Amino acid sequence: MTERLPCRSEGCSATILPATAAKTGGYCMPCKQEMERAERQRYIEQHRRDIDLYEGITDPVEILKIMHAPVKRDPLIRYIPYHLKREEVYSTLSADDADRMLDVGLELLESGDEDTCQEILVSLICYRNRSLESCIPTLMERGIYYPGILFKDASAHSRDELLQQVEQDQDNRNHLLLALAWIGDDQVVRRFQEWRSDPPFWAEELYVPPEAYTHEGGWELTENGSKRRLFYHDSYAIAKIVPSESTYVAEPEPAHFLKKDSAFCPWCESSLTTLADLDISHPKLRFLGLSGERLRVTTCVNCSCYGTIYMDVDFHGKSEWSQANMKPEYVPGPDSGEDDRSFASAGQSFRLADHPRNSYYAAYWALGPAVSQIGGYSAWIQDAVYPSCPCCSRSMTFIGQLDWEQIEEYGEGIYYMFLCADCKVTATLFQQT
């Protein structure tokens, strides 16, 4: 039997054949490979160079073109990021620059890069609220109907073409209905009302009734067939506080987030969490149109992952577990280990932004920026879901969301908050990929 030799690495207990030792200098293969990896890493660190793709470039359109372009990955190159995020560059575009960026997107579409074109077009809508009517005919010619937000603010001519096509185009009907929901003008509202009153032959092919598609556009049909918006146009980002050395005492904040509640979840027995505690009398939050002092949106962050949770409120700080709550088939048990409260401290570093932003800034979750906000259109990860109020059965209005990616290092998913102001009921639900 061939005698095995100990590996030369200090602390390694492996033994190797003499033939292997001759090839590796006396090291086992894992140790040899680790030595080679470390040597490679030392070489990279010694020879890596910084490259600033933005050096000397001031034109925001050229900057965005670089941001959207694929970057060659090379371990010997470290690319210096631009000092502004992509969405910040979009937000500062002039009207002329937005038009130029639209042309860039269409040129990419012409070259076959539909994905980057879509990313640019959606960015112009979300960050600049730029109408895409001038390019909608091109999108329709190419059979591009998704995402529906591309058709927001479409002209009457484009709308009529879509209304005609939805009756005939079975393959694209789902996306066509979403596009129409985003247009949502008087004619579209009337047509959805007609489809509700007299379902078309193709309604049986859908998973939901035609009128349910209106939720994707942020509205619903009332009983009398009129349009009721389900979100607020005003929108304030929930941003991290930048530490300051100033001794200036700031005004009281209009909103606080992720506060531990004294009550416990009757399902999993963990502490409830106040996702948002809002001073509804503050000028920033008057757009909510509520009379009172405080609105607390409380939930169980564990159980709301499995179903909608309702709370009874009074606009004076009360938030109590609603008897309307229906326990899901599964909720985490008291000893499941899911009651991790490490996120609570993160709430102390969040505040409402000083200035409002575009209503649709966070409307397309796939763009990537953190989307925590009060007001505005919601960033749906899955389908749009506006809970029905347990008291009046109307769809509840979206009032805010917390992006868990902002809160925990490896967090994901979004908690959505809703309110029925008439019945004084809040609801929360959770979505993730």
Side-chain angles (χ1 to χ4, degrees):
M1 182 175 179
T2 303
E3 181 182 1
R4 298 179 68 89
L5 305 175
C7 174
R8 289 180 57 189
S9 293
E10 184 178 353
C12 180
S13 60
T15 60
I16 55 177
L17 294 172
T20 302
K23 294 178 181 179
T24 64
Y27 298 96
C28 68
M29 288 307 298
C31 288
K32 181 64 174 177
Q33 291 169 351
E34 176 58 26
M35 292 168 60
E36 292 174 348
R37 186 205 65 79
E39 179 62 28
R40 172 63 175 166
Q41 187 60 35
R42 282 193 295 270
Y43 178 87
I44 290 173
E45 292 174 357
Q46 291 171 4
H47 296 84
R48 181 182 285 154
R49 56 197 176 96
D50 292 339
I51 292 182
D52 185 357
L53 298 174
Y54 307 97
E55 184 177 5
I57 300 177
T58 58
D59 183 347
V61 172
E62 293 301 320
I63 291 169
L64 285 170
K65 287 169 67 175
I66 295 172
M67 288 180 166
H68 282 287
V71 176
K72 179 183 178 182
R73 299 299 176 186
D74 188 330
L76 295 177
I77 296 176
R78 178 168 45 220
Y79 293 100
I80 300 174
Y82 192 62
H83 68 279
L84 294 177
K85 296 179 181 179
R86 184 193 294 178
E87 60 266 25
E88 293 175 319
V89 180
Y90 268 103
S91 298
T92 58
L93 290 178
S94 67
D96 289 341
D97 288 338
D99 291 340
R100 291 169 56 209
M101 202 63 211
L102 181 59
D103 291 337
V104 171
L106 293 178
E107 289 172 4
L108 289 168
L109 179 62
E110 187 66 28
S111 69
D113 190 352
E114 183 177 322
D115 291 341
T116 307
C117 170
Q118 174 185 300
E119 195 173 56
I120 291 173
L121 298 185
V122 174
S123 296
L124 288 169
I125 295 173
C126 292
Y127 305 138
R128 286 282 292 117
N129 203 19
R130 169 70 160 79
S131 170
L132 303 183
E133 172 53 33
S134 61
C135 72
I136 283 179
T138 301
L139 298 178
M140 294 177 65
E141 287 174 8
R142 292 177 172 269
I144 299 174
Y145 306 105
Y146 184 84
I149 193 174
L150 296 173
F151 293 83
K152 187 176 79 72
D153 301 324
S155 69
H157 177 73
S158 297
R159 174 206 66 205
D160 290 343
E161 286 196 18
L162 291 172
L163 284 171
Q164 182 177 3
Q165 187 175 350
V166 76
E167 301 288 355
Q168 307 163 356
D169 190 346
Q170 179 181 8
D171 293 339
N172 293 301
R173 185 168 288 127
N174 185 59
H175 289 165
L176 291 166
L177 287 168
L178 294 175
L180 288 167
W182 271 100
I183 295 173
D185 63 10
D186 291 343
Q187 182 59 36
V188 169
V189 172
R190 282 194 292 272
R191 186 62 66 88
F192 272 106
Q193 165 62 11
E194 293 171 2
W195 289 331
R196 184 176 69 177
S197 301
D198 185 16
F201 71 92
W202 43 262
E204 295 181 357
E205 303 170 3
L206 306 174
Y207 290 105
V208 295
E211 64 272 15
Y213 281 79
T214 63
H215 282 183
E216 294 290 338
W219 58 280
E220 70 171 356
L221 289 172
T222 63
E223 290 184 4
N224 63 10
S226 59
K227 177 181 180 180
R228 175 174 171 257
R229 194 174 73 237
L230 297 175
F231 68 98
Y232 293 93
H233 278 309
D234 295 72
S235 176
Y236 285 88
I238 300 173
K240 285 191 175 182
I241 300 172
V242 178
S244 173
E245 296 179 359
S246 172
T247 57
Y248 170 74
V249 179
E251 293 292 325
E253 291 292 332
H256 297 89
F257 306 98
L258 297 174
K259 296 166 63 177
K260 183 177 180 179
D261 195 86
S262 59
F264 292 86
C265 174
W267 295 341
C268 72
E269 301 181 16
S270 63
S271 300
L272 296 180
T273 300
T274 298
L275 294 180
D277 189 347
L278 308 177
D279 176 1
I280 55 179
S281 66
H282 193 279
K284 284 184 181 179
L285 297 176
R286 285 177 186 163
F287 71 85
L288 295 173
L290 305 176
S291 298
E293 298 85 39
R294 292 172 61 207
L295 170 63
R296 284 200 304 131
V297 183
T298 305
T299 192
C300 173
V301 295
N302 296 329
C303 296
S304 58
C305 295
Y306 305 98
T308 301
I309 290 182
Y310 297 97
M311 305 292 288
D312 298 326
V313 298
D314 68 354
F315 305 152
H316 300 288
K318 183 187 85 169
S319 182
E320 296 179 347
W321 187 269
S322 172
Q323 295 302 311
N325 284 318
M326 302 283 291
K327 188 175 182 179
E329 291 184 6
Y330 171 81
V331 294
D335 299 323
S336 66
E338 293 191 31
D339 190 19
D340 179 7
R341 313 301 300 182
S342 60
F343 62 82
S345 60
Q348 301 174 17
S349 63
F350 289 107
R351 63 184 293 274
L352 280 190
D354 292 329
H355 304 288
R357 66 184 186 186
N358 175 33
S359 308
Y360 301 97
Y361 193 97
Y364 196 65
W365 169 80
L367 284 181
V371 296
S372 296
Q373 64 184 29
I374 297 297
Y377 182 93
S378 47
W380 298 111
I381 297 177
Q382 302 169 19
D383 293 336
V385 179
Y386 293 87
S388 297
C389 173
C391 298
C392 68
S393 299
R394 294 199 309 170
S395 296
M396 302 176 72
T397 302
F398 171 77
I399 58 172
Q401 61 196 17
L402 281 175
D403 183 352
W404 223 246
E405 187 176 348
Q406 286 181 264
I407 295 165
E408 294 183 330
E409 183 177 2
Y410 300 107
E412 66 170 330
I414 297 175
Y415 286 88
Y416 304 88
M417 298 173 273
F418 305 85
L419 172 69
C420 179
D422 292 339
C423 300
K424 296 182 179 180
V425 176
T426 62
T428 56
L429 58 85
F430 176 82
Q431 289 185 357
Q432 67 180 30
T433 52

